[in-house]
Amino acid sequence: DARVTQTPRHKVTEMGQEVTMRCQPILGHNTVFWYRQTMMQGLELLAYFRNRAPLDDSGMPKDRFSAEMPDATLATLKIQPSEPRDSAVYFCASGIENTEAFFGQGTRLTVV
Amino acid sequence: DQQVKQNSPSLSVQEGRISILNCDYTNSMFDYFLWYKKYPAEGPTFLISISSIKDKNEDGRFTVFLNKSAKHLSLHIVPSQPGDSAVYFCAASESVFKNSGYALNFGKGTSLLVTP
């Protein structure tokens, strides 16, 4: 049963701390997305990769957020330093071009 | 700048009746459209898609209609069932043949409640 796996599922951290979210895309998928869900903005695209190369990260606050794909089985999203306004659910999704994207279950981040 | 808009935050429909969820987009370069369903505490799951060369795509109880001239698409669920109660997201992307890849642009979602 192929699926996108995200860890951790929940994270509570103090303001100023570093947060790292991880994603294992579905094997064989060449595109990976990071989305953030908030009440106000719905699903916002933060960054996406194709064949591990970053294609667009314009939706990401560059001063504190970074996204990487160290290898084809791992994508990471880091926030340093974290702020209360970063509290949201972060979704990773993977897909193959010209098809739908499959989402993970998300990481619920709370920054206090 | 929201390129995909779902103007109805919520919709309530009786079981057995038709649910119609609407979506508008502003980017005329979008040529691939999708609907996702999302239950609480889960990730969105793909429901149905349509490319711009079609105006209708059907899959069981779910049909998506695309009106390119109006930049409008809709999802019809017939008959609606209580298990269909969820948040539905409309998404769109530009040409999937672009060398730079594609990204799905999502609307803010419509919460559908199907009552028995």
Side-chain angles (χ1 to χ4, degrees):
Chain A
D1 183 25
R3 58 180 174 174
V4 175
T5 303
Q6 288 187 247
T7 56
R9 290 292 312 276
H10 302 275
K11 176 72 176 180
V12 180
T13 191
E14 290 186 347
M15 182 173 64
Q17 296 297 304
E18 177 178 301
V19 175
T20 298
M21 290 169 270
R22 293 178 172 80
C23 168
Q24 181 177 3
I26 293 173
L27 189 65
H29 284 187
N30 69 339
T31 307
V32 173
F33 305 87
W34 282 105
Y35 285 91
R36 173 170 65 181
Q37 184 184 17
T38 63
M39 291 297 293
M40 295 300 293
Q41 298 297 327
L43 279 166
E44 298 176 84
L45 177 68
L46 296 176
Y48 75 102
F49 297 78
R50 188 177 79 163
N51 297 325
R52 295 179 53 204
L55 289 185
D56 186 355
D57 60 3
S58 59
M60 216 163 57
K62 300 282 191 312
D63 55 339
R64 299 183 299 109
F65 285 58
S66 62
E68 295 179 348
M69 278 203 76
D71 60 61
T73 65
L74 177 64
T76 62
L77 179 66
K78 289 186 181 180
I79 308 174
Q80 167 66 2
S82 57
E83 297 181 1
R85 60 178 168 156
D86 301 329
S87 298
V89 181
Y90 291 80
F91 288 105
C92 174
S94 72
I96 303 172
E97 291 172 67
N98 206 24
T99 66
E100 67 274 14
F102 293 84
F103 281 76
Q105 292 188 290
T107 294
R108 180 175 292 278
L109 174 66
T110 303
V111 183
V112 297
Chain B
D1 181 26
Q2 200 83 18
Q3 299 185 73
V4 178
K5 299 177 183 178
Q6 293 177 257
N7 293 320
S8 297
S10 63
L11 176 68
S12 183
V13 173
Q14 261 189 325
E15 182 178 7
R17 305 293 290 266
I18 184 172
S19 294
I20 299 176
L21 295 96
N22 293 303
C23 177
D24 298 294
Y25 60 96
T26 58
N27 188 341
S28 57
M29 299 299 291
F30 286 152
D31 57 8
Y32 185 54
F33 305 90
L34 309 89
W35 285 94
Y36 281 79
K37 180 168 73 173
K38 186 182 180 304
Y39 293 119
E42 293 185 11
T45 55
F46 169 74
L47 196 55
I48 193 169
S49 65
I50 188 168
S51 74
S52 59
I53 61 173
K54 294 184 174 182
D55 54 18
K56 177 183 173 181
N57 189 26
E58 191 172 352
D59 183 3
R61 296 185 298 113
F62 302 91
T63 303
V64 56
F65 294 91
L66 175 63
N67 182 334
K68 291 186 290 294
S69 60
K71 295 193 182 66
H72 177 84
L73 64 155
S74 61
L75 175 69
H76 292 209
I77 307 173
V78 183
S80 302
Q81 299 174 352
D84 296 330
S85 298
V87 177
Y88 289 79
F89 289 96
C90 171
S93 69
E94 294 186 31
S95 172
V96 297
F97 299 108
K98 278 175 62 175
N99 289 333
S100 58
Y102 71 101
L104 294 177
N105 297 271
F106 283 85
K108 293 188 179 181
T110 296
S111 179
L112 173 66
L113 176 65
V114 180
T115 57

